[in-house]
Amino acid sequence: MLKEAKENIDNGEPTKLLHKIIEDYMYMSSQTYYNWFNKNSNLNNLPVISNPEHWNQFETINVPILTFSGSKEEDYYLHLDLLKNKALNCNDFEYKIIETTGHTYKNKETEIGNLIYNWIKKLKIN
């Protein structure tokens, strides 16, 4: 599909939808697919699945990080400990798994809002 996307882009049709549904639920334009899945893409700054030795962009972050994922998320989104290990220049990394929710965090808006609010509040104190 990466080849199809690149051909569409090269032919001046970056918005052309790919012939196949992605992840079993969405159509994607050639440019978006290419940006997401091209291994040299700037968007590939969290390469959890391929997990190379160095995560070039991610390793340079030197500010506090808070990340979270839903417990019903795809397995590769649950490796937040891996993110922490790859954040080599971040000395304040926190993560949390939000129970009983997936990628959209439906019905967890207040919990997530409080999580973020309390994290920011804690940063201001320190």
Side-chain angles (χ1 to χ4, degrees):
M1 295 216 0
L2 199 57
K3 181 181 175 187
E4 177 186 351
K6 180 72 169 118
E7 286 175 2
N8 290 338
I9 293 165
D10 290 346
N11 290 331
E13 298 179 293
T15 60
K16 183 176 182 181
L17 297 179
L18 296 172
H19 79 281
K20 186 176 173 185
I21 294 177
I22 312 301
E23 305 276 333
D24 296 326
Y25 69 92
M26 71 177 151
Y27 286 100
M28 190 175 287
S29 75
S30 296
Q31 187 69 61
T32 299
Y33 184 87
Y34 192 78
N35 288 345
W36 281 17
F37 295 102
N38 171 15
K39 77 175 192 170
N40 296 318
S41 170
N42 286 333
L43 296 178
N44 194 22
N45 54 16
L46 295 174
V48 174
I49 295 171
S50 63
N51 191 17
E53 183 178 349
H54 293 284
W55 295 15
N56 297 331
Q57 292 178 38
F58 198 67
E59 289 176 357
T60 65
I61 299 172
N62 61 1
V63 294
I65 295 174
L66 169 67
T67 188
F68 50 88
S69 189
S71 65
K72 294 182 178 181
E73 185 59 88
E74 297 289 337
D75 180 64
Y76 48 83
Y77 286 117
L78 297 174
H79 296 285
L80 302 179
D81 55 332
L82 174 62
L83 298 181
K84 183 175 183 176
N85 291 335
K86 295 293 187 172
L88 300 178
N89 287 301
C90 175
N91 59 9
D92 187 356
F93 189 106
E94 293 184 41
Y95 64 88
K96 180 172 174 57
I97 301 295
I98 308 297
E99 295 300 324
T100 67
T101 193
H103 195 70
T104 61
Y105 304 104
K106 185 174 182 183
N107 298 320
K108 295 293 182 170
E109 296 86 353
T110 301
E111 180 179 345
I112 291 169
N114 287 331
L115 173 68
I116 295 168
Y117 173 79
N118 290 326
W119 182 76
I120 291 170
K121 189 170 143 185
K122 181 191 73 128
L123 288 178
K124 288 186 175 187
I125 293 170
N126 295 332

